[in-house]
Amino acid sequence: MKIFAKQILEWYARHKRELPWRDSADPYRIWLSEIILQQTRVAQGLPYYLSFVDTFPTVNDLAAAPLDQVLRLWQGLGYYSRARNLHACAKQVVSEYGGVFPNSAKALQGLTGIGPYTSSAIASIAFDEQVPVVDGNVYRLLSRLFDDPTDISGSGAYKHFYNKALGLIPKDQPGEFNQAMMEFGATHCKPKNPDCQSCIFVAQCASYINGSVSQRPVKLKKVKVTNRFLNYFMFEFRDRILVNQRAGKDIWQGLHDFYCIEGDLPEEELLSRLAEAIGDDVVRACVIESQSATIKHVLTHQRLNARFFRLSLTDREVYEELAQNHLLLDVPKAKLKNLAKPILIENYLKSGALSLF
C-alpha cells in the first residue's frame, strides 16, 4: 500500500500537467474545475475555467450573477444542468455558509450538484480529508491493477472501487494522491493503447500479467441513443425576431432557441401542423424566406436532426399576437448574440443565417 502510494506520487511530481487549478487549496476553484471537467476533456474545459474565474473571481460573484449570464458563459460545454447546478450551489454556499465552503466530504454532499466524486475531490485537495476520488480514470486504473472483473456500470461498483482506493490512499497527502490517480489514468493508463511497457506498475499490474488489459474495466451497460427531429421556425418582423426560452426538464433548460415542432415530418405535413398550432391566418401572413438543410448534432444520449425555417411577417399586430399567444420573446436580432443558446443554434447563426454573427 505504502509502496504504491509512493510510486504514484513520485510519478505525479515528475509528469503532472501544469493546470491553473492545481497546487491551489481554494475550494471555490477546485469545485469550479471539477464541475467543468465532468464529461469534458481538459483541453476543452480549460478555456471555460479561465473565463469563469476571470468573470466570477469568487463564489459570491458567481452567486450574484444572473443565470442567463452563467449559461451564456457555459455555452458549448453541454450538459447544461451542470451550469444550472453550479449557479444554485454558489447561491447555497453564500446563503447557508456565508460564502465559505464546508470542509468535509459529507457536508459538501449537501450542496446542489455535488455528489460523492466532487465532494471527495474538494475535501481531499482543499482540506486534506482522507477520502478517495473515484472517477472513470480511477475505475480503469484500479480494475486493471487488480484485474478486477466488476462491472463499473453496476449499482455496487462505486462502493466496491471506493473501498479499494481507500485501502491505498495515504493519510498525509490525500489530495496529491487523488490527483495522481486521476492524472495517471488520464495520461498513461488510457482507455485505448495504454503504454504498458513503460508503466511504473508493470511488475504488479494483475491485468498486464494475465493479459486482460484490453478487457478492463468491464462495462456492460450500453448508452441508448435516440433520434430527434427538430423543426425550428424563426418568425421575423423587420429587425426583430421571436425567441423561445426552453423550460421543463428537457435538454437545454433555460437556454434560448426558436419556436419548434418536433417530428420526422415531410414539409407539407409540417406546415399543416404549424397551421394547426399557430393558426391558418398567421401562416398565411408569413413569407418563407429560406429553409436550411438538415443539420446533425450528436449528444451523448441523443442524435439531433434540425431544420431551420425563416419566416418574415409584414403585419406588426400579427407578429405581436404570435409572441403573446405562444409565450415567445420579442428581441432585436442584434441582441441574439447576448442570449445563452444551445451550440446547435449558435453554430447555425454563425453560419451566416442572419448576417449578424
Side-chain angles (χ1 to χ4, degrees):
M1 187 172 75
K2 289 181 179 178
I3 292 172
F4 175 84
K6 183 174 182 291
Q7 283 179 295
I8 201 163
L9 284 168
E10 288 177 349
W11 176 90
Y12 182 63
R14 293 193 305 271
H15 299 286
K16 67 179 179 180
R17 292 168 290 181
E18 295 300 323
L19 299 171
W21 52 83
R22 288 200 168 141
D23 302 319
S24 169
D26 182 352
Y28 171 67
R29 297 196 174 205
I30 294 165
W31 164 70
L32 199 58
S33 70
E34 292 297 339
I35 299 298
I36 287 173
L37 292 180
Q38 289 173 15
Q39 310 287 339
T40 305
R41 293 175 291 104
V42 168
Q44 182 189 8
L46 179 56
Y48 287 88
Y49 172 83
L50 295 174
S51 293
F52 266 86
V53 169
D54 184 58
T55 308
F56 312 117
T58 70
V59 70
N60 291 281
D61 296 316
L62 178 56
L67 176 59
D68 197 62
Q69 184 185 8
V70 176
L71 291 171
R72 183 76 177 93
L73 210 59
W74 191 273
Q75 188 171 292
L77 263 182
Y79 295 95
Y80 288 90
S81 61
R82 290 184 294 164
R84 292 190 291 272
N85 287 338
L86 189 82
H87 191 239
C89 182
K91 286 180 171 292
Q92 191 177 356
V93 170
V94 170
S95 64
E96 296 181 17
Y97 294 92
V100 178
F101 279 82
N103 62 3
S104 72
K106 183 177 181 181
L108 285 162
Q109 286 191 49
L111 298 175
T112 303
I114 294 185
Y117 159 76
T118 307
S119 65
S120 292
I122 299 169
S124 64
I125 299 169
F127 304 115
D128 288 324
E129 186 177 357
Q130 191 185 11
V131 283
V133 168
V134 181
D135 70 348
N137 293 310
V138 176
Y139 274 129
R140 185 167 59 256
L141 176 55
L142 291 176
S143 66
R144 285 174 175 170
L145 189 68
F146 293 100
D147 198 17
D148 194 318
T150 302
D151 175 16
I152 65 170
S153 63
S155 59
Y158 179 82
K159 184 176 180 180
H160 174 78
F161 284 102
Y162 180 93
N163 288 330
K164 281 190 177 294
L166 190 60
L168 298 171
I169 188 170
K171 292 180 180 180
D172 57 340
Q173 291 180 281
E176 285 289 291
F177 177 85
N178 281 333
Q179 292 182 86
M181 292 283 282
M182 292 186 285
E183 185 79 344
F184 194 85
T187 64
H188 195 97
C189 193
K190 296 181 286 190
K192 295 181 180 179
N193 303 316
D195 188 6
C196 294
Q197 297 301 321
S198 66
C199 180
I200 59 174
F201 303 119
V202 68
Q204 63 221 78
C205 179
S207 64
Y208 178 75
I209 294 167
N210 297 335
S212 57
V213 171
S214 63
Q215 299 164 35
R216 300 289 180 262
V218 173
K219 187 174 183 180
L220 300 180
K221 277 187 184 176
K222 292 185 177 179
V223 175
K224 183 180 178 182
V225 179
T226 57
N227 280 298
R228 295 180 69 178
F229 298 86
L230 308 174
N231 302 285
Y232 284 113
F233 295 92
M234 302 164 64
F235 296 106
E236 304 171 39
F237 176 75
R238 297 177 184 170
D239 62 345
R240 306 189 70 82
I241 190 166
L242 297 184
V243 174
N244 171 59
Q245 185 167 25
R246 296 182 69 93
K249 296 298 182 183
D250 197 9
I251 58 171
W252 304 331
Q253 179 187 346
L255 301 184
H256 299 84
D257 58 5
F258 303 105
Y259 185 85
C260 182
I261 292 178
E262 188 165 345
D264 185 13
L265 305 168
E267 188 173 339
E268 184 177 346
E269 184 177 348
L270 179 62
L271 293 176
S272 176
R273 286 269 299 273
L274 180 65
E276 290 176 11
I278 67 172
D280 283 319
D281 55 333
V282 178
V283 172
R284 284 195 296 269
C286 294
V287 176
I288 299 179
E289 299 289 352
S290 65
Q291 173 185 338
S292 76
T294 298
I295 298 169
K296 298 183 183 298
H297 186 70
V298 179
L299 305 174
T300 303
H301 300 89
Q302 299 184 27
R303 189 179 295 111
L304 306 181
N305 304 270
R307 289 187 294 177
F308 293 83
F309 297 82
R310 288 187 60 192
L311 295 89
S312 64
L313 292 96
T314 55
D315 189 316
R316 178 186 288 273
E317 187 175 337
V318 173
Y319 175 83
E320 291 175 348
E321 286 181 359
L322 180 60
Q324 184 177 0
N325 292 340
H326 295 277
L327 303 179
L328 299 171
L329 305 175
D330 173 21
V331 300
K333 293 178 184 177
K335 288 195 175 180
L336 276 177
K337 287 183 180 181
N338 303 324
L339 297 179
K341 302 174 289 297
I343 198 65
L344 169 65
I345 304 296
E346 180 85 355
N347 287 343
Y348 169 71
L349 293 174
K350 281 184 175 179
S351 71
L354 294 178
S355 301
L356 293 172
F357 283 61

